[in-house]
Amino acid sequence: MTLTLYNTLTRRQEPFETVEPGKVKMYYCGVTVYDYCHLGHARACIVWDVVRRYLQFIGYEVRYIQNFTDIDDKILNRACVEHSSMEVVADRFIKAYFEDMARLGIKEADEYPRATHTMNGIQRLIHELENKGFAYPADGDVYYAVRKFSEYGKLSGRKLEDMQAGKSDAYGGLRLRVNVEDPEYQKKKDPFDFALWKAAKPGEPAWESPWGAGRPGWHIECSAMVRDRLGDTIDIHAGGADLIFPHHENEIAQSEAVTGKPLAHYWLHNGMVKVDGEKMSKSLGNFTTIRELLDRGVDPMAVRLFVLTAQYRTPIDFTDEAIAAATNGWHTIKEGLLFGYQYGKKLGWDLGTGNIPIPSTQYPVPNPYIERFQESVNNDFNFPGGLTVLFELAKELRREGNILVHEGKTETSPEELHRQWQTLVTLAGVLGLEAEIETETHTSNGLSDAEIEAKIQQRQEARQAKNFAESDRIRDELQAQGITLIDSRDGTRWHRNN
């Protein structure tokens, strides 16, 4: 089973071959740290987290780098409003980023370079571009001469002669706005040229350079950070589809003009997030941060599942109904993940220290579940297809658990159930889906049937009111007391775990 990826650069799906056998160099364009992360960031970070996990699962050694943009007009504007500094604002939201990602179960990158920590590499790259004739100084600024790079537009499929001022690009992104009164426009030799270095303005933070005090442009930062941390050519460059033009296009122009080598062999882009069918925007009042969502009681694992139920390159629509469906789906998988701790002792399993075992993928006999999972995901990271395998395993384990409770035995051998459970735990781990184990799961405080039915009715009322936090609280309360709920189209059933 060969992994194939859709490459934005070539516009086709290609077999995955790395620069160095068995190793992957991967760079993800991270966040600009001027505010809390939102649902769009959640989707991107979850997608690339799972891509990295899957590459490691199939045997690659992955070096994963994610940057922070900590020099930006938005950061400076916020610092000005708060009577603070760019560094203070950036540090605060970098800290918040790590808090949010930890709640979502995102594994930390191998390194998080920051633009302010890469100034030598940035200036060195600009200097090389200038020496090769791709950049020119202008009154303290330095600009990239776009028309000097003959392959400009190869990532986005654009041609300069087809672009007109004021017209939207194919992705609904950049509109080239030309203001002849703008001092920056007057400095440029061509309206399509973009800034590599910006001369310092009064009151702004600045760094000394051969062109005078100033700060780097946005695009040059990533080119320098990729080169400094991963070298001239990497395997995967990832980011949101909104970055294809101009950011990633400009990265290619900058890096390849200097090195003469491909910046990345595979360019991967995740689709955008909509809210109730509309683009997420503060002006529309549908802008939701990760922490706002999780503080409302939405389970982080349900958020991960919601993201993974859509093909990563397509847009995804965040609605109350979609997150409710994802929450129910997570409960199904969670029941499967806890199966061993609810029934393992009865089945004669030795759970050792109590930690969920992570088995080797090299089973002594073929594992059809893992084979089907890989067959799906190897098709351009088809995580929705992989999830069908997890749901199949979880539902089968739930069925066997019900039989064990009511009949005292299972239809499937304990050995095979142990393999199915281990397989579910392993594949869920690849997707970053992890269930918390509570020792109270095995006990019951002797609630009467009537009391349990009353709790279930309260939960149903909470769900109808879309109060998912209260619904989950009741479910978890019953689970902790040894009562498992099973939702179906016909209603909610329950059984005691004893």
Side-chain angles (χ1 to χ4, degrees):
M1 295 178 287
T2 301
L3 174 62
T4 61
L5 309 180
Y6 181 83
N7 190 347
T8 305
L9 181 65
T10 60
R11 295 165 189 79
R12 63 174 181 266
Q13 201 159 314
E14 304 171 337
F16 183 57
E17 297 180 1
T18 56
V19 174
E20 186 177 350
K23 296 184 178 181
V24 176
K25 294 179 179 180
M26 181 175 174
Y27 182 89
Y28 162 51
C29 275
V31 299
T32 300
V33 285
Y34 72 96
D35 205 344
Y36 294 109
C37 290
H38 53 65
L39 295 179
H41 297 132
R43 185 189 193 185
C45 291
I46 289 170
V47 164
W48 305 124
D49 174 64
V50 177
V51 164
R52 176 202 191 183
R53 287 171 183 258
Y54 183 72
L55 291 171
Q56 291 173 328
F57 172 70
I58 60 177
Y60 286 102
E61 178 185 329
V62 182
R63 179 155 174 75
Y64 180 61
I65 305 297
Q66 177 186 331
N67 78 297
F68 287 122
T69 296
D70 60 349
I71 307 174
D72 186 85
D73 287 340
K74 292 178 181 178
I75 302 174
L76 291 172
N77 291 341
R78 182 148 197 161
C80 182
V81 169
E82 296 178 355
H83 304 290
S84 180
S85 69
M86 183 181 71
E87 184 177 8
V88 168
V89 171
D91 285 347
R92 181 167 88 251
F93 288 112
I94 287 175
K95 180 176 181 292
Y97 169 88
F98 284 117
E99 293 170 350
D100 292 342
M101 295 305 131
R103 295 176 72 180
L104 289 175
I106 305 294
K107 292 173 63 176
E108 289 195 7
D110 294 305
E111 192 174 354
Y112 292 92
R114 297 168 59 162
T116 55
H117 299 171
T118 318
M119 207 57 64
N120 289 338
I122 290 170
Q123 293 190 14
R124 181 172 63 252
L125 188 55
I126 295 173
H127 181 68
E128 291 178 79
L129 285 168
E130 192 176 15
N131 285 344
K132 289 178 176 286
F134 288 93
Y136 58 91
D139 296 330
D141 293 345
V142 181
Y143 293 96
Y144 186 95
V146 168
R147 296 185 190 274
K148 295 282 188 178
F149 187 68
S150 62
E151 294 184 287
Y152 191 82
K154 66 180 180 179
L155 181 68
S156 60
R158 302 160 186 275
K159 295 181 180 179
L160 292 177
E161 56 268 27
D162 294 335
M163 287 191 244
Q164 298 179 30
K167 288 200 173 182
S168 172
D169 65 71
Y171 296 93
L174 176 75
R175 293 171 176 80
L176 180 63
R177 299 180 177 89
V178 175
N179 178 4
V180 294
E181 303 297 329
D182 187 346
E184 181 178 349
Y185 171 75
Q186 295 175 354
K187 292 181 182 181
K188 294 181 181 181
K189 295 180 179 179
D190 188 292
F192 289 105
D193 294 348
F194 59 87
L196 300 172
W197 188 262
K198 301 178 181 180
K201 296 178 181 178
E204 287 187 353
W207 287 260
E208 291 301 322
S209 80
W211 313 281
R215 57 188 174 96
W218 175 35
H219 311 300
I220 196 67
E221 296 171 6
C222 280
S223 283
M225 285 186 275
V226 170
R227 192 183 188 194
D228 279 7
R229 270 65 179 190
L230 296 172
D232 291 343
T233 300
I234 65 174
D235 298 293
I236 295 175
H237 196 306
D242 57 328
L243 298 180
I244 294 173
F245 189 89
H247 186 51
H248 289 168
E249 193 76 73
N250 290 352
E251 276 190 67
I252 289 175
Q254 294 163 158
S255 299
E256 297 186 7
V258 166
T259 67
K261 304 173 184 177
L263 172 56
H265 284 309
Y266 300 88
W267 289 83
L268 308 184
H269 295 92
N270 63 273
M272 298 295 99
V273 173
K274 295 182 178 181
V275 178
D276 292 321
E278 294 188 280
K279 181 179 178 181
M280 187 170 61
S281 168
K282 287 185 177 180
S283 62
L284 294 175
N286 63 0
F287 184 89
T288 303
T289 67
I290 294 171
R291 56 185 51 203
E292 286 172 344
L293 179 67
L294 299 183
D295 287 347
R296 292 207 308 257
V298 176
D299 194 308
M301 294 298 102
V303 177
R304 286 189 80 102
L305 191 61
F306 163 71
V307 167
L308 296 174
T309 53
Q311 207 283 336
Y312 79 94
R313 289 189 289 110
T314 63
I316 190 170
D317 194 8
F318 184 91
T319 64
D320 288 340
E321 293 74 18
I323 202 64
T327 299
N328 286 334
W330 165 238
H331 285 315
T332 297
I333 293 176
K334 182 179 179 180
E335 284 184 30
L337 293 174
L338 295 177
F339 177 89
Y341 290 91
Q342 292 174 341
Y343 307 112
K345 187 174 180 180
K346 289 184 179 180
L347 294 169
W349 299 355
D350 180 8
L351 299 181
T353 61
N355 294 321
I356 288 181
I358 304 298
S360 167
T361 59
Q362 303 302 315
Y363 286 90
V365 294
N367 187 315
Y369 297 104
I370 287 182
E371 290 175 357
R372 285 168 47 211
F373 179 83
Q374 287 189 235
E375 184 178 1
S376 290
V377 180
N378 278 347
N379 180 17
D380 192 28
F381 298 125
N382 177 13
F383 299 125
L387 276 170
T388 62
V389 178
L390 273 72
F391 279 112
E392 182 179 329
L393 282 164
K395 290 176 181 178
E396 177 61 19
L397 290 170
R398 180 174 65 187
R399 187 183 72 84
E400 291 283 355
N402 288 336
I403 294 173
L404 181 62
V405 167
H406 294 104
E407 300 181 15
K409 60 181 180 179
T410 58
E411 293 182 351
T412 306
S413 71
E415 294 77 17
E416 176 58 24
L417 286 176
H418 188 261
R419 188 167 80 123
Q420 289 180 6
W421 178 58
Q422 284 190 316
T423 301
L424 175 62
V425 171
T426 298
L427 297 183
V430 174
L431 302 182
L433 297 170
E434 299 178 353
E436 293 184 2
I437 305 168
E438 299 177 358
T439 56
E440 295 85 358
T441 298
H442 304 286
T443 65
S444 172
N445 69 350
L447 286 175
S448 68
D449 290 0
E451 289 173 325
I452 294 171
E453 293 292 348
K455 291 282 187 184
I456 291 174
Q457 179 61 34
Q458 292 173 16
R459 176 172 175 267
Q460 182 62 26
E461 292 170 358
R463 295 174 73 185
Q464 291 175 348
K466 296 185 178 181
N467 187 350
F468 301 117
E470 177 64 6
S471 169
D472 289 349
R473 187 195 66 75
I474 294 171
R475 184 188 188 100
D476 292 342
E477 177 187 337
L478 290 172
Q479 186 76 33
Q481 298 179 72
I483 308 299
T484 294
L485 304 185
I486 303 170
D487 294 318
S488 69
R489 293 181 179 178
D490 299 325
T492 299
R493 295 183 292 110
W494 60 273
H495 65 76
R496 299 181 189 272
N497 305 323
N498 50 33

